[in-house]
Structure formats: structure tokens, C-alpha cells
Amino acid sequence: MTARNSMMKFTLIRLRRNYLAVLGFFVLFVLIGTAIFAEQISPYGYADQDYMMIRKPPTATHLLGTDEFGRDVLSRLIYGSRISLQVGLIAVSISLVIGGAIGAIGGYFGGRTDSVLMRIMDVQLAIPTILLAIVISSALGPGLVNLMVAVGITSIPRFARLMRASVLSIKGMEFIEAARAMGASHLRIITLYILPNCAAPLIVQSTLSVANAILFAATLSFLGLGIQPPYPEWGGMLSAARPYIRDSAYLSIFPGLAIMITIVALNCIGDGLRDALDPKQKR
Amino acid sequence: MVRYIIRRVLLLVPVILSVMVIIFTILYFTPGDPAQIALGQEANPETIAAFRAEHGLDASFPVQLGRYLYKAVFEVDLGYSYIMKSPVSMELSTRIPVTIRLAFWAVVFSTLVGIPLGVICAIRQYSLLDSLTTLVTLLGVSMPTFWTGILLIIAFSVHLGWLPSMGFETVGEMVLPVVTLSGATVAVIARTTRASMLEVIRSDYIRTARAKGQRESVVILRHALPNAMIPILTIISMQFGMLLGGSIVTEAIFSISGVGRLMLEAINMRDYPIIQGGVLFISVAFCLINLAVDILYAFIDPRIHVK
């Protein structure tokens, strides 16, 4: 227990020295707060239309302006944070659980099981991820859950390979042999002995994957395959703003900024975690 | 070496076949009847039945899949577009050169910008230029492609009026799409080059080269860079897949008639043969690029050759 705590403590200390990572965490907490308290924070509802205020640039009453239906852009961005964070979190959970299981089983049991599973992953890797996401989400149809599944499936191979590599490096160690000698089952060895020891790379990969998932979700919605209007997805908002690019450029700028700030924050956290969890890498 | 190449090419065959099976299966179980969509809501049952018979849509799943694979492999026939009534291969052949041109120039641009940028940052570590580049590349990897494109259009087409926002024929028309598509790749290549160069510059043989009085430019370009190239090449080949995928978005933004736009239209119209053909082309291209890079490794790094 003590060893674990002190490892976490050292990780935290190293993380606190990384200003970008601290900034990233700060932005992420603000975003999570925004998503949870969207009803309380947002000045208007995400679907409230005001036909007297069609495509009005930012003013004191509408801080980020209004869109083509007279809806408040700021409120829509605030509600949109819910979708983006949900998609990011759940899509990555899907790929972490499925990919992690595939990688753990393949790496642990080796042999034919391993080569069959890894060949399947190779095939999936032969299709560029965004293309696969487009095909799957067009097959599943629009909607929040389908979007999460489509985005989640695409990063399964990445987690499977990472997990497999970690398991391979750990399973030959003596403490695994000791656990087996004590009569621990395969499941017990994988979950209680191997998993905690390959947590670090999985945590880093998960953080970076959340960023990627949010980017994919926005891209799919931009192409009209993800979340359908009037629900305020950031990518969908950018797509809706395209006809007004000449007269109301702000409509195309704010949703993109929201996406970029979120992704920058997650990338900073991911890079910071990688350096903090693996100090050997940092020179 | 030749045997290695042949073995690698043969290994591609099952992968490509599996990709075809997977895409066919996903699309087969997609809700929505392609016959209904192609013929419109008012079509009577007889015409729909005739359409289904004509395109072999009335057969069972294994039969359809088998027929598709057989035709694709032995007759080089990818089927007919439901909507345009022309062979898929013909539709693709007019679009493929456009997409390849887009992806090619994006790779050239991002390599020519990314590698020198990374090298300079590594040489002048912690300088103002280095910090600035770190910041810009962080933003670069975090910007969605479609947003980059929209911002460039707002700046250079709408406000300055310097460059057109549509098409991909003239050099002027090519600038914005290529820069849009390259944005994230430039950032990734610059970051990788910087990290890889920093590692190499610290090694003993670089110190030796400097100690014997070699000019700094020769040390960097002849001694350090070639040894830093392996991770850079890996990242470039990985980015190629991203670029082929990203070209779908870029083609949509700039109204470029490439494979990506063809596929997006086909997805909306449930024109399955076209989608299958498009995915097949992009996956084959992706695999071939990865293969080419693996072979290139062997030339750059003699140690791989020995294995």
C-alpha cells in the first residue's frame, strides 16, 4: 500500500512541475463543471429560438452571438460540451475494455489464440481509422450511442497492441510465477497481478484517445453522420455554419475554438502523464 | 531482399481479402434498402424486385459475398454503381488521381516543412523558435482538419480574396486544400523529428564527428539526420493513412471531386458498390505505402537487412 501511495505521490509531484499539464487539468475540470452544470450556467436553452435575433454577432445579451435560428451560440457550446465529453469518455471505455481484453488474452495465452487475435487487429489497422469510423457510423445510423460505438470500435487495435506488449513484458516475471504457484486462476493473475503493472501506458493512451475520440465525433457530425440537429454537437454546429461563412464567420470560429481548447487540454494532460509516469523517458 | 519483398506482398493478400469481407458485411447489415433509395419512394414493388434481381440483391448473404469476392478477385470487377449505373472501377479511376495528387502534395509539403522545422528546433533546443514551434505544433495536432480548412477559407478566400475556396485544378486552387490536409501532419513530423534528432545529437559518434573538426552543417545533415530518420519515416507512413482518411474531409470542404467525396455521396445514397470500392482503394493504398516504407527501412538501416 505504501509503495503504491508513494508512486502516486511522486507522479503527482512530477505532474505539478509540468505547467502545461496543470493548465490542461484546469481546463478539463472547467469543462467537466460546464458539462455537469450546463442548465445552471447557460444563459439560454440550446434549442431556444428567437426570430428577432437571427445571426446577430456577439453582443452583451448574446456573448458569442446567435445562429441562423436565433439560438444563443454560447448556450449551445455549453450543452455541446456534454456530448463531446460523453462521447470521448464512453468511446474510449469501449475501446479500452474490448481492446484491453483482446490484448491481455492474446499476450497472456500466446500461441494460436494470440496470432488469430492479432491478425484480426492487423486487418482492422489496414483500414484508416477515420474511414472505418465513417463506414460504421453510416451503417449504424445517426445518434449519440451509435456515434460512441463507431468511434470506440476504431481504436480497439491500438489498445489491444499496447496491452499485449505490456502483458508480454510482465508475464515472464517471477512474481507471476509465484502467483501461479500459489494456485491463482488465469483471470486472477491477469486482473490482479498483470493489469496494475501495465496501468501507466494504458492511462496515457486513454487520455490521448479521448482527445482523438472527441475529434472523430466532431468530424463525423461535421460530415452529417454523427449527432443530428437540433442537438448541439460542436462539429455539427460547424457544419451548420458553413453556408454563412461570408457574413457570419464567428459562427464558424467559436465551435472550432471549443473543440481545439478541449483537445489541447487533453493532449497536454496526456503528454504530462507520460512524462510523469515514466521518468526514465524524460532526459 | 527480393524474397522479403515477395513474402510481404503475399502477406497482404489475406489482409486485403479480410478488409473486403468486413466492409461487405458491415454494409450488408446496414438498415435501409438500396433498391428503395435508388428508385425513390414511389417505386412500385415490381421495379424494386427487378432492381434487386439485376444487382443480385435477392440472393442470400453468403452467396452475395462470395459473388462479390469472386468477381473482384478473378474478373477485376467491383460491380456497378446503383445510382450512376456505371462500373465502380470506372467511377474510381476518374477520382483516384485527384485524391492521390492531394495526399501526395500533402505528404511532400508536410515533410518539407516538418523535418527542417524539427531539425532546427533540435539544434536550437529551448530557444524562442523552439518554444514557439512547440506551441504551434501542439495547436496543430489539436485542430480538427475541417476547422483548419474553414479558417483558411475565411482568411484567404473571404477576407483577403487571394485564393479560391473550391476546386483542385490550378496551383492556386491546390494551396488551401494541401495546407489544410497537411496541418496536423506537419506538427506530428516536426515533433517526431525534434525528439529523434535530440536523441541522436547526444550520441558519442556525433561528439567524435565534432571533435575531429567536422563542420556543424555536415555533422547535422550527414551524420545525425540519416540516423534519426527511422522514427520519422515510421511516422510519415502512419500519417499517410491519416491523410488518405483526412482527404475525405478536405475534399468535402473544398468541393474536390476525389474518392472521398465520391464515397460521402455514395454513403448518403446507400450506393454500396461505390463505398466498397472506395474503402478497398484507400486500404490497398495504405497497405502498399506501409510496405514501401518497410522496404525503405532496409535500405536506410543495414541492420534490418541482416535479419
Side-chain angles (χ1 to χ4, degrees), chain B residues 12-69:
Chain B
L12 278 184
V13 174
V15 172
I16 298 295
L17 281 177
S18 314
V19 167
M20 291 169 80
V21 172
I22 289 173
I23 298 299
F24 190 93
T25 311
I26 293 176
L27 293 175
Y28 181 85
F29 290 105
T30 298
D33 181 8
Q36 188 86 60
I37 294 169
L39 297 170
Q41 287 302 320
E42 288 86 37
N44 55 0
E46 287 82 48
T47 14
I48 288 183
F51 182 92
R52 295 177 68 89
E54 184 197 339
H55 290 279
L57 292 170
D58 44 3
S60 67
F61 170 65
V63 173
Q64 283 194 41
L65 175 62
R67 202 182 283 157
Y68 173 68
L69 289 180

Side-chain angles (χ1 to χ4, degrees), chain A residues 20 119-120 122-132 134-136 138-141 212 215-216 218-220 222-225 234-235 238-239 242 245-246 249-250 252-257 259-261 263-265 267-268 271 283, chain B residues 14-15 18-19 22-23 26-27 29-31 138-139 141-144 146-147 150-151 153-154 157-159 165 191 195 198-199 202 241-242 244-246 248-249 252-255 263-264 267-268 270 275 278-279 282-284 286-287:
Chain A
L20 277 178
R119 285 302 81 75
I120 296 173
D122 282 349
V123 170
Q124 199 189 318
L125 282 171
I127 310 171
T129 44
I130 183 73
L131 186 61
L132 188 64
I134 288 174
V135 173
I136 295 176
S138 71
L140 293 174
N212 210 29
L215 219 51
F216 270 25
T219 306
L220 291 176
F222 179 77
L223 295 174
L225 295 166
W234 292 340
L238 277 172
S239 172
R242 280 190 69 198
I245 201 168
R246 273 163 214 283
Y250 63 93
S252 301
I253 290 175
F254 296 130
L257 263 182
I259 300 174
M260 193 180 77
I261 291 171
I263 309 292
V264 167
N267 280 336
C268 287
D271 289 347
R283 289 168 290 268
Chain B
V15 172
S18 314
V19 167
I22 289 173
I23 298 299
I26 293 176
L27 293 175
F29 290 105
T30 298
L138 180 64
L139 296 183
V141 292
S142 308
M143 276 167 76
F146 53 93
W147 193 51
I150 289 171
L151 289 185
I153 290 178
I154 291 177
S157 304
V158 177
H159 280 286
S165 64
R191 285 178 139 195
L198 280 176
E199 202 155 315
R202 287 197 179 81
M242 299 276 292
L244 285 170
I248 297 178
V249 179
I253 296 172
F254 292 96
S255 310
M263 283 177 60
L264 277 181
I267 284 171
N268 287 330
R270 298 256 175 266
I275 308 176
V279 176
I282 293 183
S283 303
V284 170
F286 186 35
C287 288

Side-chain angles (χ1 to χ4, degrees), chain A residues 103-123:
Chain A
I105 292 170
Y108 185 78
F109 292 105
R112 184 157 292 181
T113 327
D114 183 37
S115 45
V116 168
L117 288 174
M118 285 306 124
R119 285 302 81 75
I120 296 173
M121 295 295 103
D122 282 349
V123 170

Side-chain angles (χ1 to χ4, degrees), chain B residues 31 44 89 203 226 244 246 268 293 296:
Chain B
N44 55 0
S89 46
S203 52
L244 285 170
N268 287 330
V293 172
L296 208 59

Side-chain angles (χ1 to χ4, degrees), chain A residues 204-222:
Chain A
V204 174
Q205 181 63 49
S206 302
T207 320
L208 297 173
S209 288
V210 171
N212 210 29
I214 291 177
L215 219 51
F216 270 25
T219 306
L220 291 176
S221 298
F222 179 77

